[in-house]
Amino acid sequence: MEMRTNNTRATEIAEAEAALARLTNAQYAATMSNGRYYTDGSKTRDDHEIAEARRILDELKKDQA
């Protein structure tokens, strides 16, 4: 049973890492393609999403230890 829990946690961490990577990549692409990115509220919204994704990832990693 313990092995299954570890595999599940590893999967959750991998998914959280992938989600964070997608968000940061999307933010980078938006900065390159949207001239109003910094002034139309998009950056602030993206920053909050990225912070939440990092918080989730940190919690998962902390729980794993």
Side-chain angles (χ1 to χ4, degrees):
M1 187 68 170
E2 183 65 32
M3 180 61 114
R4 183 174 183 178
T5 302
N6 288 340
N7 287 339
T8 302
R9 181 58 52 151
T11 300
E12 289 174 345
I13 290 171
E15 289 172 354
E17 288 172 338
L20 179 58
R22 279 192 303 276
L23 288 169
T24 55
N25 289 340
Q27 184 179 47
Y28 176 76
T31 63
M32 297 294 119
S33 64
N34 181 353
R36 297 181 52 195
Y37 181 73
Y38 293 97
T39 59
D40 69 0
S42 296
K43 178 157 179 13
T44 301
R45 185 175 52 250
D46 287 351
D47 286 345
H48 287 293
E49 288 181 38
I50 289 169
E52 179 64 10
R54 282 194 175 116
R55 185 194 64 75
I56 291 168
L57 179 58
D58 290 343
E59 285 294 318
L60 289 169
K61 286 183 175 182
K62 183 174 73 172
D63 289 346
Q64 184 183 32

